[in-house]
Amino acid sequence: GQQVMQIPQYQHVQEGEDFTTYCNSSTTLSNIQWYKQRPGGHPVFLIQLVKSGEVKKQKRLTFQFGEAKKNSSLHITATQTTDVGTYFCAGDPLSNSGYALNFGKGTSLLVTP
Amino acid sequence: NAGVTQTPKFRVLKTGQSMTLLCAQDMNHEYMYWYRQDPGMGLRLIHYSVGEGTTAKGEVPDGYNVSRLKKQNFLLGLESAAPSQTSVYFCASSWGLSRADTQYFGPGTRLTVL
């Protein structure tokens, strides 16, 4: 079936280091969304990417959508302890006849001071 | 606006017991979803609804039933709870203009089945 794969599953960095999580789809996506879940919390929407090759920035976070619209990445520059949490991508496959996004399993980020 | 609310927040059940989780949203959203989250498994869709009176199966529907009698409410039922249903359950809603709409999640229900 249609899947959205995320790597790595876990990442542990020192505060100030950079962090990147990758999302790969087996099929072309019409768009992709990113969510963040703080420990003990619920997923919260961060951003949506729609266009091929699109790059969006939110302060220290940079989101990219691949040219083929099959992959995406989230890069955090100079991590802070407030970045701790799990980051999910959610893709909307072009061929999807259903009504729901396909969520990746998430990347859990731990930042130590 | 309260957004998406879920009740209860925590629950402990014994195997074989039944319960209903309630999700309510005050944003007039058309689409509503139930997910379960287990360590290392991410968010898995149980059931979803694209409007009042309609429901559909997601990725892991077995052992669960749902109802959407009112637009603002989406109920998730466990008829005979099993230890494998120990999980954190999240409800979400979206506008419903398309499936790519932003999903707004509730705070979650932590369920333990002994």
Side-chain angles (χ1 to χ4, degrees):
Chain A
Q2 298 153 351
Q3 289 188 346
V4 173
M5 309 298 291
Q6 251 186 286
I7 55 170
Q9 188 175 2
Y10 303 98
Q11 186 80 55
H12 181 185
V13 300
Q14 293 289 116
E15 190 172 23
E17 293 181 336
D18 292 355
F19 159 77
T20 304
T21 174
Y22 300 91
C23 188
N24 296 295
S25 171
S26 56
T27 60
T28 303
L29 303 171
S30 64
N31 65 81
I32 194 160
Q33 299 178 20
W34 286 91
Y35 291 77
K36 177 182 178 181
Q37 181 179 22
R38 296 183 185 274
H42 59 276
V44 175
F45 174 79
L46 291 177
I47 209 161
Q48 182 180 76
L49 304 171
V50 179
K51 299 177 183 177
S52 170
E54 189 170 15
V55 178
K56 288 187 176 180
K57 292 190 176 183
Q58 290 179 349
K59 297 182 180 178
R60 295 178 293 101
L61 278 61
T62 302
F63 303 84
Q64 291 188 328
F65 201 10
E67 293 291 339
K69 300 184 76 173
K70 286 187 174 183
N71 56 72
S72 181
S73 65
L74 159 59
H75 179 81
I76 302 178
T77 303
T79 55
Q80 299 176 359
T81 54
T82 54
D83 296 324
V84 166
T86 300
Y87 294 85
F88 293 96
C89 62
D92 180 20
L94 281 173
S95 58
N96 189 0
S97 60
Y99 291 89
L101 297 171
N102 291 344
F103 276 85
K105 293 184 187 229
T107 295
S108 293
L109 173 64
L110 178 61
V111 181
T112 50
Chain B
N1 286 350
V4 180
T5 58
Q6 292 182 233
T7 52
K9 288 184 169 54
F10 303 93
R11 185 72 186 269
V12 178
L13 290 179
K14 294 182 179 179
T15 297
Q17 287 185 319
S18 63
M19 78 163 294
T20 300
L21 281 68
L22 170 63
C23 176
Q25 52 94 4
D26 61 2
M27 297 175 283
N28 202 33
H29 285 173
E30 287 292 336
Y31 290 10
M32 296 187 75
Y33 312 84
W34 274 108
Y35 294 90
R36 61 176 290 174
Q37 185 174 38
D38 304 292
M41 300 297 291
L43 294 164
R44 292 187 291 171
L45 183 66
I46 305 171
H47 287 280
Y48 62 95
S49 168
V50 299
E52 182 178 319
T54 69
T55 63
K57 294 180 180 180
E59 179 186 356
V60 288
D62 294 343
Y64 305 95
N65 57 75
V66 289
S67 64
R68 183 102 181 266
L69 298 180
K70 292 183 178 180
K71 185 177 183 178
Q72 63 268 34
N73 295 337
F74 195 27
L75 305 179
L76 177 70
L78 287 72
E79 289 186 349
S80 180
S84 61
Q85 293 177 305
T86 294
S87 187
V88 179
Y89 292 85
F90 287 103
C91 175
S93 69
S94 65
W95 280 109
L97 295 176
S98 79
R99 60 175 177 255
D101 291 338
T102 299
Q103 293 190 19
Y104 296 83
F105 285 80
T109 295
R110 187 172 296 274
L111 175 66
T112 302
V113 183
L114 303 175

